[in-house]
Amino acid sequence: MTRFNQPLGGNAMPRFGGPATMMRLPAQETAEGLDACFVGIPMDIGTSNRPGTRLGPRQIRDESRMLRPYNMATGAAPFDRMQVADIGDVPVNTFDLKKSVGIIADHYRQILDHGAVPLTLGGDHTLTWPILRAMKERHGPVALIHVDAHADINEAMFGEAEAHGTPFRRAWEEGCLLNDRVFQIGLRGTGYAPEDFDWGRSQGWTVVQAEELWYRSATPLMEQVRATMGDAPVYLSFDIDSLDPAFAPGTGTVEPGGLSTWQALEIVRGCAGLNLVGCDLVEVSPPYDPSGNTALIAANLLYEMLCVLR
């Protein structure tokens, strides 16, 4: 018998039954004793277009019920070497985004105090800023892999500093990032001016627009990413709207011409060997995809993130 938690198997309980946790794993209240943990942040109070991402963590967990413990493509067996559990959701204040930023940072400080690597189910992208704040306090400034249709570096939105279009500007201002080791991948669509994407480049970030990956594998790009990151602590933030809406329509700010699911898998699998200290999968909005496919893809990408942890 293994001493590590295992997902509840499909032959022990039908897939449509069992606990409503990520991969039907055991649940616990804190990250104590864990190597990695799944944690939800059910909020959409930072969104600028379609709402609904407050429902994302719950549906991602639901769609994760088909996941099995062994990765047939990579040979990874994360539950043979790590203690993993679902520690539930961050109790955000759904009526106050500013207070929620503080609540999230405090919650992640506690997770990191236990030495666990958090894998976050979002939730709108505002949440990455307070997580990076906690990461800096634990690890110092971190390298960043940011996969997204949008740069999320706005100075403000409607005069507010806290929004899902501002997290990486806020993280930069607080010194959370190693600027020579930041990659933004998949940016595309319309904008107001070239600065929408070029601001990051002016900080020393590497910006890879979606068109650069059309008809191509993302594997060579990830070789460049690994060579650049070295052994620095790395945070991976994956916005589901980086995928083309043909694959993932259930999100708030869709843009055509995005990444494919196989490119998404190449990106996450290409993080193997990096010193990943945390990951998130954000902006799943279930009301805009009744099929559940967007959340299903999100659940699979979160599992792939678990597989590449050291």
Side-chain angles (χ1 to χ4, degrees):
M1 295 291 291
T2 178
R3 64 183 178 88
F4 297 120
N5 293 335
Q6 298 295 314
L8 180 61
N11 291 318
M13 170 66 71
R15 292 289 177 184
F16 42 81
T21 58
M22 184 68 182
M23 294 186 69
R24 306 198 302 177
L25 282 163
Q28 62 182 62
E29 291 186 3
T30 74
E32 183 177 3
L34 300 179
D35 299 302
C37 60
F38 292 106
V39 54
I41 304 182
M43 72 179 214
D44 58 9
I45 47 176
T47 56
S48 59
N49 189 36
R50 297 171 173 174
T53 52
R54 67 180 62 191
L55 305 175
R58 180 163 293 191
Q59 195 185 33
I60 292 169
R61 288 182 171 109
D62 186 30
E63 297 297 342
S64 76
R65 65 186 184 271
M66 277 298 295
L67 284 164
R68 304 167 185 88
Y70 182 75
N71 191 318
M72 301 297 290
T74 66
F79 303 104
D80 288 352
R81 61 183 180 85
M82 290 189 289
Q83 188 69 299
V84 187
D86 188 325
I87 64 167
D89 293 332
V90 178
V92 296
N93 182 335
T94 197
F95 303 108
D96 193 320
L97 183 56
K98 294 178 174 63
K99 287 183 179 177
S100 291
V101 167
I103 291 168
I104 294 167
D106 287 341
H107 200 90
Y108 278 74
R109 291 182 184 109
Q110 295 173 32
I111 293 171
L112 297 175
D113 282 346
H114 289 298
V117 176
L119 302 167
T120 302
L121 292 63
D124 76 63
H125 219 155
T126 316
L127 61 85
T128 304
W129 166 35
I131 294 175
L132 288 172
R133 179 186 289 173
M135 289 288 168
K136 178 195 173 186
E137 294 169 7
R138 171 63 55 173
H139 301 288
V142 298
L144 175 69
I145 302 170
H146 170 210
V147 189
D148 203 323
H150 311 96
D152 293 352
I153 48 78
N154 292 340
E155 175 62 32
M157 299 185 77
F158 279 87
E160 299 293 334
E162 301 85 1
H164 75 161
T166 68
F168 299 103
R169 176 69 73 102
R170 301 287 88 79
W172 171 82
E173 290 172 346
E174 294 186 356
C176 297
L177 304 176
L178 295 169
N179 287 311
D180 60 341
R181 302 183 192 188
V182 173
F183 282 78
Q184 292 189 305
I185 301 170
L187 307 192
R188 63 186 188 278
T190 56
Y192 293 100
E195 188 183 19
D196 290 358
F197 292 171
D198 288 345
W199 184 89
R201 293 184 174 108
S202 70
Q203 312 312 317
W205 303 359
T206 301
V207 176
V208 181
Q209 293 180 220
E211 290 82 359
E212 298 176 56
L213 290 173
W214 282 1
Y215 318 113
R216 297 180 181 179
S217 167
T219 298
L221 170 62
M222 295 312 295
E223 292 173 356
Q224 177 189 351
V225 170
R226 291 194 301 276
T228 301
M229 298 306 191
D231 201 44
V234 180
Y235 189 85
L236 170 61
S237 185
F238 200 111
D239 189 324
I240 202 69
D241 73 21
S242 62
L243 301 188
D244 190 88
F247 300 98
T251 190
T253 48
V254 293
E255 305 281 0
L259 304 177
S260 67
T261 52
W262 42 93
Q263 288 173 317
L265 289 168
E266 288 176 327
I267 290 168
V268 178
R269 292 174 181 174
C271 293
L274 294 177
N275 180 22
L276 283 172
V277 295
C279 309
D280 64 50
L281 191 296
V282 300
E283 296 287 355
V284 172
S285 183
Y288 294 94
D289 185 1
S291 74
N293 285 345
T294 304
L296 178 67
I297 294 167
N300 276 266
L301 291 175
L302 282 157
Y303 167 71
E304 294 282 348
M305 293 173 190
L306 178 68
C307 287
V308 297
L309 296 184
R310 287 183 177 179

